[in-house]
Amino acid sequence: MESAQLAKIFKALGHPTRIRIVQHLIEIDTCICGEIVGIFPYSQSTISQHLKILKESGIVCGEVEGPKTYFCVDKAVLKRLKQFVNAL
Amino acid sequence: MESAQLAKIFKALGHPTRIRIVQHLIEIDTCICGEIVGIFPYSQSTISQHLKILKESGIVCGEVEGPKTYFCVDKAVLKRLKQFVNAL
DNA sequence: ACATGTCATCGTTAAATGCCGATTAACGAT
DNA sequence: ATCGTTAATCGGCATTTAACGATGACATGT
């Protein structure tokens, strides 16, 4: 992985709320935006924006199912991230 | 480690140049600011600023030795970072 | 004492970020 | 066809970031 792509992932994780979203997604395996909105003291649009950033970095993926979108952590990307960090 | 401190480290690594600075510091073990300036196409002030951000996150530490400052990666912090990422 | 080398900091600029409320889009149920 | 639910996007705002050149601080060599 090149530093530009890695930087994007690190940048995405460079916000407390987004770290906790990722942690929650790993625990829960998958969940919809609305559930995450219920956990944090931020508006729906803000959480949606955070999810967009996480998605764009590649660490999280979302699957549209009807009106809902199911989010989950991309395990392959997470694995690559772990490999990179461990190689440091 | 709490998500606020971790986010700071991730944020610090959320820039391609800063990732490469950290990689270089790990390879070289320790080096002065001027050497890093010579590697990247950025001004001395910009590199100094990047080093400051890395230092403030805790992942890098600098030791003033006369007119020079020797930078190196804080291995304890790096270890904690690895532990956190691996626990994801 | 003075010049040199090394680095941090200041001031500035353009761009990006974080947050919000409001709007829009799309689906499912009535 | 309309309504409620869900989520993405838009416009706006204040703040932060990334980059630069210029300046300042300090130790060392002459």
Side-chain angles (χ1 to χ4, degrees):
Chain A
M1 240 199 286
E2 47 187 77
S3 58
Q5 178 58 25
L6 276 161
K8 236 181 174 177
I9 296 174
F10 282 127
K11 200 171 181 178
L13 293 174
H15 192 289
T17 301
R18 291 197 289 265
I19 287 187
R20 291 202 272 143
I21 288 174
V22 168
Q23 285 178 317
H24 186 255
L25 283 179
I26 287 172
E27 280 177 18
I28 295 295
D29 201 54
T30 180
C31 78
I32 64 174
C33 176
E35 188 192 322
I36 300 172
V37 172
I39 297 173
F40 296 96
Y42 298 113
S43 73
Q44 180 267 324
S45 61
T46 298
I47 296 297
S48 182
Q49 180 66 15
H50 280 314
L51 286 167
K52 186 184 181 184
I53 290 167
L54 287 169
K55 238 169 39 182
E56 281 174 355
S57 81
I59 193 70
V60 159
C61 42
E63 202 178 328
V64 178
E65 195 124 344
K68 305 177 181 179
T69 306
Y70 288 89
F71 291 95
C72 63
V73 170
D74 188 322
K75 291 193 169 84
V77 174
L78 180 59
K79 190 176 176 184
R80 270 184 282 156
L81 176 66
K82 287 182 182 180
Q83 283 171 348
F84 174 81
V85 171
N86 285 322
L88 282 177
Chain B
M1 239 200 282
E2 49 186 76
S3 57
Q5 178 58 23
L6 276 161
K8 232 180 178 179
I9 295 175
F10 281 128
K11 199 171 182 177
L13 293 173
H15 191 290
T17 301
R18 290 197 290 264
I19 287 187
R20 291 202 271 143
I21 288 174
V22 168
Q23 285 179 317
H24 186 256
L25 283 179
I26 287 172
E27 280 177 16
I28 295 297
D29 201 54
T30 181
C31 78
I32 63 174
C33 177
E35 189 193 321
I36 300 173
V37 172
I39 297 173
F40 296 96
Y42 298 112
S43 72
Q44 181 268 325
S45 62
T46 298
I47 297 296
S48 183
Q49 180 65 14
H50 280 313
L51 286 168
K52 186 183 180 185
I53 290 167
L54 287 168
K55 238 170 41 181
E56 281 174 354
S57 82
I59 193 69
V60 159
C61 41
E63 201 178 329
V64 177
E65 194 122 344
K68 305 178 183 180
T69 306
Y70 288 89
F71 291 95
C72 64
V73 169
D74 187 322
K75 292 194 169 80
V77 175
L78 180 59
K79 190 176 176 183
R80 271 184 280 155
L81 175 67
K82 287 182 183 180
Q83 285 170 346
F84 174 81
V85 171
N86 286 322
L88 282 178

